[in-house]
Structures are given as structure tokens and as C-alpha cells.
Amino acid sequence: MNLYSMLSARNDSGRPIRVGLIGAGKFGSMVLAQARKIAGYHIVGVADLDAGKARASLVRTGWQPEEYAAKSLGDAMDTGRTFVTDDAAALCAFDGIECIIEATGHPIAGVRHALMAIDGMKHIVMVNVEADVMCGPILGRMARDKGLVYSMAYGDQPAFICELVDWVRSCGFELTSAGKGMNFRPEFRYSTPDTVWGYFGWSEEFVAKGDFNPKMYNSFTDGTKAAIEMAAVANGTGLDCPDDGLAFYPTGLHDLAQVFKPASEGGRLPSNGLVDIAASVEPDGRKVVNNIQYGMFVTFRAPDEYTKGCFEQYGLLTDKSGWYGSMWRPFHLIGLETSVSVLSAVLRHEPTGSSKEFRGDAVATAKSDLKAGSYLDGEGGFATWAKAIPATISTAIDALPMGLAHHVKLKNDIARDQIVRMSDVEFVDDLDVVALRREQVVTMGPKAEKAA
């Protein structure tokens, strides 16, 4: 509860926290919007392949031209201004930067940037969950081996779910499940960038006024983002993904504890200790009453009769039996809150959630019958959606992680809803990231655990 006091003390001593931001899209813009309002929190450099886009983000979020007029990273550090560049490697290598925020959303680039940051002895706040779910466990291990923090981004849902899980365990309750709310119906699974705005109910005029990326928003609509985030939560908490993917149970606030408990106890989960989604709409399109579309939750069980009685006495929302309760956070403000992760990493040397084991996986699954010779187009595209499954299953079938389903050519026909395997695609580029992923499977996967 004292991050701001710690930051103020550092700033008063003339040592502001110096940060590098990679990626100036929507999330990066929200990071920038708040950064200039936090005394002692200095964005030394912003890197984006399109430096003009980065400058446009600075303008859109209220920065004045003189604030980002630094001529180099060294000049930025000396003057307190910000340097705009297209060279992410320069940020990772610059000695004056303590922490890198990776916010590109591109899994291949994200992995490479994390490796650069580790080589440059920088803490990493990995906004890029797409990269984290694919290689986060091994990247986290590499960072920790060097005494660095590899962290999920506060403000994004996985970090908040990890925080809620930590609260449950710190209180001595029995953790049952964890997840988030989401606007989802079964037919959304097959949405494409051409149909996505209709699912959001947004007009073309509304979309034209904002900085909206159709593939990114489609990755939310078709359930891919949910799979990626829940698998990342599994890797950060020790919970598991359901064997057949997320079920997206339509559930409102008052029913969380009733629904997200094992079926053997009258709930809907196939077993204890799972991640899943509380859908905010019914399959027929009706809104769920008191839904938590933008929130995150945990459910847990009282360990004994005394605690169960306390649940009732203090008004905790419970299931019908009174044994299971729920806790939630109703909203998340993504990049507006990410400074908390940076401050925690630099000042406390503590992540706000981190992938510690290879437990969950988000694997590419066909949206339609795909033909050999065609190309996959990644998250939120036309070809595949991501399915969250245990790593024990994904590694046994050599499934293709969603993060590697970017512009790779199919060698085999794939039927709709079939999981794509590594052997089904032809890798030409990105072999460095493929090799790192394979190293993670070998050294941190289920077979490695059995051998140990």
C-alpha cells in the first residue's frame, strides 16, 4: 500500500523511475495518458515500428510537442523528455532504462523484445499476453535467473485474477476457480474481422472515430483472447484449463459461487481448481442480470463450519449451501493502471502476477475447413480461434500455440474446430521463437516434470 510513497522518496532524491515503452497502440496510448501525470515516472523512450503512429498517440493523449522532443535516449534521460524511435532494441539496451513495457500485442515480436530486455538487464512488464502464454514460463525463468522481474500488466485481467487468487490463498480459504466476465455467445466463435463490429453493435461512423484494430477486437469476440488470458492465468496460479476448453457459463454476480464450483457439489465445473469465463449474455442473446462483463472473479470454499458462519454473518455472496463464496473486481482499466506493475517491479522487485510454470496452453483451432496450402493469420483473424487446454494435452498432441499461427502455411487439410498441430504447418521465418517454445516444452512441460 505504499508504492506512491516509495516513488516520491526516490523522486525527491533525484532518481525518477525510467521506463521504456514498446508499442504505441491502444494499450500503449493508455499507458502514455497517465505517465505524464505521475511525478517521478519518466517514459524515457517510446518505440514503435511506425514512429509517426507513436507521435500521434502522444498527441492524442495530451502530450505537448516539447515533452517528446528529445533527440536521443541520452538526451531524454538528461532533460526529462521522451525520445520517439522505431528501434525497440535500443530501448532494451539503454543503460538508463530500468523497466520495459512490452505492449505490441504481437507474439513473435513480444518474445524477441523480452529476450532483448533480459539481455539488457531490464525488468519486463509483459502487456503482450499473446507472447506470454506461448513462452512466458521460460521467459520468466530466464528473467528470474538474472535477478529480474518478469510481470503481467496491472490493469489487464490476468494480473487482477492472479491478485484475487493470492488474496484467497493468503486468507486461508480453499480456492475453487478463477476467471473473468466476457460478452460471449457460441456463434461468436466464428467471427472474422469483417463481421466483428456487428457483434459489438458499433457503426462504421463510430469505429472511424477511434483507434480500433478489427483483428484485435475480433480476438476478444471469438474467444481467442479469453483462451490466451485464462491459459496465462493457469501458468501464473497453478490452476488448470478445462480439458475441452473454456465453457463460458452465463453467470451473474449473485450466482458466481453456485456456478463456479464442482458439479459434484451442485455447480457446473467438471472438477475443482479450474479457470473459466462468466459470459454476460445467454446463448439466445439475453443479457445476464448483474453480469460482470468487464470484471474478474474467484470462488472459494470455507475450510470449516466456523468460517462458513462468518461468511453468512458478514454478508458474503455465497452459493445455496453457504460453503462457497465469491470475490470479484468489477472493472479493469488496462493501460491506465499499468504503472502499478512498473513501480512494483522496480521498487519492490515483485511482479503483479507472473508465469511460473507451463500448465495452460492456448492452441490454434480451425474456424472453418482449411485447405493445405492456405495460410493462418493469427489472433482475431479469418482462419483460427484459440482453445485453452492443459499443457498435458497440448504437448501430447504437439499442438500449435496460437502465437505461432501467424502467416504460416498449412501442409495438411484441417477440419473446422480441429486443433492444428505443429506438424501441420511449414515454418520458414520465426525459427528462433519456435526453438524457444520447443525448449519450454522440453524443459518445463509435463514430461520434464515427470522426469524430475
Side-chain angles (χ1 to χ4, degrees):
M1 301 293 290
N2 63 344
L3 281 177
Y4 186 69
S5 298
M6 295 172 73
L7 174 63
S8 296
R10 261 199 58 161
N11 192 40
D12 289 345
S13 69
R15 297 183 302 120
I17 288 177
R18 296 188 172 98
V19 185
L21 171 65
I22 304 176
K26 180 64 174 178
F27 203 115
S29 294
M30 295 178 81
V31 169
L32 292 170
Q34 294 306 113
R36 57 195 289 271
K37 300 175 177 67
I38 306 171
Y41 186 79
H42 180 197
I43 303 288
V44 175
V46 180
D48 196 286
L49 288 176
D50 184 346
K53 173 184 170 184
R55 292 187 180 93
S57 293
L58 288 158
V59 171
R60 184 169 55 250
T61 55
W63 288 56
Q64 299 304 308
E66 61 271 18
E67 293 180 290
Y68 54 92
K71 297 182 174 65
S72 66
L73 290 170
D75 180 44
M77 192 172 79
D78 293 339
T79 62
R81 295 176 177 173
T82 296
F83 179 60
V84 178
T85 179
D86 61 1
D87 188 356
L91 263 64
C92 295
F94 183 62
D95 286 341
I97 288 174
E98 297 171 88
C99 185
I100 295 290
I101 302 173
E102 211 297 335
T104 64
H106 192 289
I108 303 297
V111 170
R112 289 172 176 157
H113 293 153
L115 290 170
M116 291 176 193
I118 292 168
D119 286 344
M121 294 301 293
K122 308 290 187 290
H123 302 304
I124 309 153
V125 174
M126 185 60 93
V127 174
N128 191 335
V129 191
E130 293 82 0
D132 182 57
V133 75
M134 179 171 64
C135 293
I138 193 167
L139 290 171
R141 185 178 72 184
M142 293 169 70
R144 289 188 293 272
D145 285 349
K146 285 197 169 187
L148 300 169
V149 172
Y150 176 87
S151 179
M152 295 177 180
Y154 205 80
D156 220 353
Q157 287 171 307
F160 284 141
I161 296 170
C162 289
E163 183 177 55
L164 287 168
V165 166
D166 187 66
W167 173 84
V168 171
R169 289 170 169 160
S170 297
C171 291
F173 305 138
E174 298 174 8
L175 181 65
T176 303
S177 68
K180 69 171 194 169
M182 181 181 169
N183 180 36
F184 185 83
R185 294 169 60 188
E187 64 265 31
F188 290 9
R189 180 72 74 202
Y190 308 104
S191 173
T192 72
D194 288 343
T195 63
V196 62
W197 304 131
Y199 290 115
F200 274 86
W202 292 350
S203 67
E204 292 183 6
E205 292 77 15
F206 177 82
V207 173
K209 293 177 182 177
D211 49 342
F212 303 118
N213 179 324
K215 279 192 72 177
M216 183 190 77
Y217 277 84
N218 195 50
S219 73
F220 287 94
T221 300
D222 68 10
T224 289
K225 193 74 169 182
I228 288 170
E229 292 186 336
M230 292 302 98
V233 168
N235 292 337
T237 62
L239 292 168
D240 286 309
C241 299
D243 287 353
D244 195 34
L246 303 174
F248 297 91
Y249 303 112
T251 315
L253 190 63
H254 287 71
D255 292 323
L256 289 171
Q258 183 65 36
V259 171
F260 291 95
K261 65 178 182 179
S264 61
E265 296 290 317
R268 298 193 65 181
L269 296 180
S271 64
N272 204 26
L274 297 178
V275 293
D276 218 308
I277 302 295
S280 60
V281 290
E282 301 283 356
D284 63 6
R286 288 177 297 124
K287 277 280 186 183
V288 172
V289 177
N290 290 329
N291 68 74
I292 59 163
Q293 179 175 342
Y294 301 103
M296 299 69 54
F297 70 91
V298 284
T299 61
F300 47 92
R301 190 182 190 278
D304 52 42
E305 286 280 359
Y306 181 83
T307 302
K308 175 178 176 287
C310 291
F311 283 2
E312 181 180 4
Q313 293 159 19
Y314 288 91
L316 183 71
L317 288 181
T318 66
D319 70 334
K320 296 174 184 177
S321 74
W323 280 100
Y324 290 87
S326 61
M327 180 63 76
W328 66 94
R329 194 182 200 268
F331 63 89
H332 65 295
L333 297 177
I334 63 171
L336 301 183
E337 300 179 80
T338 299
S339 55
V340 173
S341 289
V342 175
L343 300 184
S344 182
V346 175
L347 299 174
R348 289 182 179 153
H349 211 77
E350 180 178 296
T352 51
S354 186
S355 294
K356 294 174 283 196
E357 56 184 311
F358 182 29
R359 197 173 187 98
D361 214 354
V363 299
T365 310
K367 284 187 176 180
S368 61
D369 293 338
L370 304 176
K371 297 298 181 183
S374 63
Y375 283 81
L376 305 184
D377 58 349
E379 297 91 350
F382 293 86
T384 55
W385 54 275
K387 187 173 188 176
I389 58 176
T392 51
I393 295 176
S394 70
T395 55
I397 63 174
D398 200 24
L400 178 72
M402 193 67 186
L404 291 179
H406 285 252
H407 199 66
V408 288
K409 186 175 172 181
L410 285 175
K411 296 191 288 185
N412 304 308
D413 293 346
I414 306 293
R416 174 168 147 157
D417 292 331
Q418 179 183 334
I419 293 173
V420 184
R421 303 181 186 221
M422 295 281 278
S423 57
D424 290 321
V425 299
E426 178 181 334
F427 293 110
V428 177
D429 301 318
D430 309 326
L431 296 180
D432 55 333
V433 178
V434 174
L436 185 67
R437 164 68 184 203
R438 291 197 183 280
E439 182 182 350
Q440 176 177 287
V441 170
V442 171
T443 63
M444 302 185 73
K447 289 183 179 178
E449 288 184 1
K450 287 182 180 179

